[in-house]
Amino acid sequence: MDKFVINGRKKLHGEVEVSGAKNATLPIMAATLLAKGRSILRNVPYLNDIKMMAHLLRVVGARVDFHDNVLEIDTTNANYFEAPYELVNKMRASIYVMGPLLARFGQTKVSFPGGCAIGTRPVDLHLEAMEALGAKIEIDHGYINANCKEMKGNKIHFSKVSVGATANAIMAAVLATGETNIYNAAVEPEIGSLIDFLNLMGARIEGKDTSHPIITGVSELKPADMEMMPDRIEAGTFLIAGAITKSEITVSNCIPEHIQALIDKMEDAGCLFEILGDCIRIFPSTTIKPVNIVTQPYPDFPTDLQAQFLTLMSLADGQCLMEDTIFPDRFMHVAELNRLNANISMRGNVATINGVEYLSSTDVMATDLRASAALVLAGLAAQGKTTISRIYHIDRGYDKIEQKLSGLGADIERISG
Ligand code: EPZ
């Protein structure tokens, strides 16, 4: 297994370009199953999760070519409706094919996704949405069997904001007969991007970027060609890299409003920003002020930047709290950060961070995608040489992160295992 070796406390400089968004691309890949023909997705990042979804689409019969950051997905011969355990248990986002397969074939069999390092990851809201549209759901031997002769539009009330369940519900509703009203839908930018793609396919979806999208079912969709939006979590991760190394850097090819909650909190921590179009330049502060965070659905502070911001706060000039209301167990990085001399204690889903003067390098182990990004940030700030093992986690969500950081002047090297 590959490792990263980072010699810390190097000043960063220059500009880094953000890649396409993983969490926008994955549902859109699944959405291509709703039409027969060849869809083109551009600005697609080279990530293991994208490759896993491409493999799943091939399993259901699509032809997928991935070159020069372009995905060509031909679903003409898609004829299989099962998402097998060995794929779903590696990538939870496989559940995204449930809505499209049900809408296209009237049936689907998706392995029940297991939990992961950040939590149990239930899918009850996904299933409730499918049932609301007329699907008959049976759980059998760890598989979700969903059948529906004809999907019918309905009202779907989500008891909790769920990005995945919102995406699945919208994808299942676009070919349903009649109108579907979704209430308490997620309003993350990735959902807006999915709606853009579906409307390009010929769907009729109103209320983009609102918690109440209205879908008027159509009889057929056609393939589409779209550029993936920039990855807001990667953009935020690099801004924090600038803050934690006290470096002025520019993050380009991003959408600043997508990470306004982070920018606000980093300003509270003493950072200054210059925003010019799709570029954000950070001017870090000499001392990092402690800032309390409670993660919430968009547009509030995202859980996907919790581990990274917590790492920055480990060097703050005082004490602060970090509460994750979305994934209460998403704190596997805390134990590893404490091995780097951080001083963080946990009570339930709340971390108390007592800022320390410095982090000191040692060997640490990545446990999940965003935790591994946090450890990279810690390594950039730590005195000495930090080695991070199990970095396959980071390859799921960051495209060539070590090359991008090296381009900013970091001393980071991938050691192939
Ligand atoms: C998406 O996961 C993202 N993944 C996650 O990013 C992100 O952290 C999460 O949304 C929240 O923004 C992708 O887009 C591929 P949810 P998802 O359904 O859809 C509960 C990353 O690092 N819930 O919005 O699985 C759930 O337990 C990944 O890139 C139910 O109770 O998240 C959580 O507490 C990690 N029942 C809350 O809702 C359900 O049926 C929000 O989860 C579904 C979810």
Side-chain angles (χ1 to χ4, degrees), residues 119-173:
T120 53
R121 313 296 296 274
V123 292
D124 54 315
L125 298 176
H126 295 249
L127 302 184
E128 285 166 25
M130 298 303 114
E131 285 174 326
L133 296 170
K136 189 169 173 313
I137 304 278
E138 279 177 1
I139 310 292
D140 179 39
H141 290 90
Y143 274 82
I144 302 163
N145 295 295
N147 289 277
C148 184
K149 289 243 177 319
E150 186 195 1
M151 306 285 273
K152 286 198 173 50
N154 201 348
K155 288 182 171 46
I156 298 172
H157 294 263
F158 283 123
S159 56
K160 181 187 277 191
V161 172
S162 163
V163 172
T166 300
N168 244 328
I170 292 172
M171 291 192 282

Side-chain angles (χ1 to χ4, degrees), residues 28 170 189-203 205 208-209 224-227 229:
I28 289 174
I170 292 172
E190 292 78 14
I191 295 294
S193 168
L194 171 65
I195 289 173
D196 286 342
F197 186 78
L198 289 168
N199 282 341
L200 269 179
M201 294 177 85
I205 308 168
K208 171 185 162 188
D209 296 335
D225 180 331
M226 194 172 94
E227 174 154 336
M229 68 179 218

Side-chain angles (χ1 to χ4, degrees), residues 148-294:
C148 184
K149 289 243 177 319
E150 186 195 1
M151 306 285 273
K152 286 198 173 50
N154 201 348
K155 288 182 171 46
I156 298 172
H157 294 263
F158 283 123
S159 56
K160 181 187 277 191
V161 172
S162 163
V163 172
T166 300
N168 244 328
I170 292 172
M171 291 192 282
V174 289
L175 291 174
T177 308
E179 183 177 279
T180 296
N181 283 267
I182 301 177
Y183 300 94
N184 200 26
V187 296
E188 271 69 0
E190 292 78 14
I191 295 294
S193 168
L194 171 65
I195 289 173
D196 286 342
F197 186 78
L198 289 168
N199 282 341
L200 269 179
M201 294 177 85
R204 288 175 56 198
I205 308 168
E206 297 161 55
K208 171 185 162 188
D209 296 335
T210 75
S211 62
H212 176 200
I214 303 170
I215 301 104
T216 306
V218 295
S219 56
E220 191 179 18
L221 293 176
K222 56 188 189 314
D225 180 331
M226 194 172 94
E227 174 154 336
M228 299 301 104
M229 68 179 218
D231 193 314
R232 60 192 170 101
I233 304 304
E234 185 187 19
T237 303
F238 284 123
L239 287 179
I240 296 172
I244 206 168
T245 57
K246 297 186 172 32
S247 310
E248 283 183 29
I249 61 170
T250 299
V251 175
S252 62
N253 185 37
C254 67
I255 301 176
E257 71 183 81
H258 285 175
I259 44 174
Q260 192 57 52
L262 171 72
I263 290 170
D264 292 346
K265 290 295 185 181
M266 290 182 75
E267 285 176 338
D268 293 346
C271 298
L272 295 175
F273 295 92
E274 183 182 75
I275 294 176
L276 291 167
D278 70 351
C279 293
I280 306 174
R281 186 160 185 79
I282 178 171
F283 302 88
S285 57
T286 45
T287 56
I288 300 162
K289 294 181 195 138
V291 177
N292 295 326
I293 297 281
V294 179

Side-chain angles (χ1 to χ4, degrees), residues 308-374:
Q308 300 93 313
F309 195 86
L310 182 146
T311 303
L312 178 65
M313 289 296 104
S314 72
L315 289 169
D317 182 20
Q319 181 184 88
C320 61
L321 302 176
M322 170 71 81
E323 179 180 359
D324 198 324
T325 66
I326 310 288
F327 294 115
D329 297 332
R330 194 177 200 171
F331 288 100
M332 299 277 280
H333 40 285
V334 166
E336 296 304 297
L337 288 171
N338 284 340
R339 298 188 62 244
L340 291 165
N341 188 51
N343 180 357
I344 305 165
S345 58
M346 291 302 307
R347 180 187 289 272
N349 67 329
V350 180
T352 300
I353 306 130
N354 297 295
V356 294
E357 291 263 310
Y358 61 88
L359 295 176
S360 58
S361 61
T362 184
D363 296 349
V364 290
M365 184 175 73
T367 52
D368 57 87
L369 169 54
R370 305 303 173 184
S372 44

Side-chain angles (χ1 to χ4, degrees), residues 43-44 46 66-70:
N43 190 35
V44 176
Y46 282 104
F66 192 11
H67 53 82
D68 308 317
N69 292 99
V70 174

Side-chain angles (χ1 to χ4, degrees), residues 19-145:
S19 298
K22 166 177 83 81
N23 291 350
T25 305
L26 290 171
I28 289 174
M29 289 175 75
T32 63
L33 291 169
L34 289 162
K36 280 191 175 182
R38 190 168 69 106
S39 289
I40 309 281
L41 312 187
R42 304 176 189 279
N43 190 35
V44 176
Y46 282 104
L47 303 172
N48 289 349
D49 274 14
I50 301 293
K51 292 169 192 163
M52 296 256 269
M53 182 61 87
H55 182 55
L56 176 54
L57 293 180
R58 292 187 187 105
V59 165
V60 301
R63 178 186 153 81
V64 183
D65 294 309
F66 192 11
H67 53 82
D68 308 317
N69 292 99
V70 174
L71 269 173
E72 295 185 28
I73 303 172
D74 189 334
T75 61
T76 309
N77 300 317
N79 57 5
Y80 187 62
F81 51 81
E82 183 174 332
Y85 171 75
E86 54 274 9
L87 270 179
V88 176
N89 89 318
K90 289 196 185 72
M91 185 185 61
R92 169 185 165 71
S94 308
I95 190 97
Y96 279 142
V97 299
M98 179 165 66
L101 290 176
L102 199 51
R104 176 155 175 191
F105 298 115
Q107 59 180 343
T108 183
K109 185 179 178 184
V110 178
S111 169
F112 219 93
C116 66
I118 67 175
T120 53
R121 313 296 296 274
V123 292
D124 54 315
L125 298 176
H126 295 249
L127 302 184
E128 285 166 25
M130 298 303 114
E131 285 174 326
L133 296 170
K136 189 169 173 313
I137 304 278
E138 279 177 1
I139 310 292
D140 179 39
H141 290 90
Y143 274 82
I144 302 163
N145 295 295

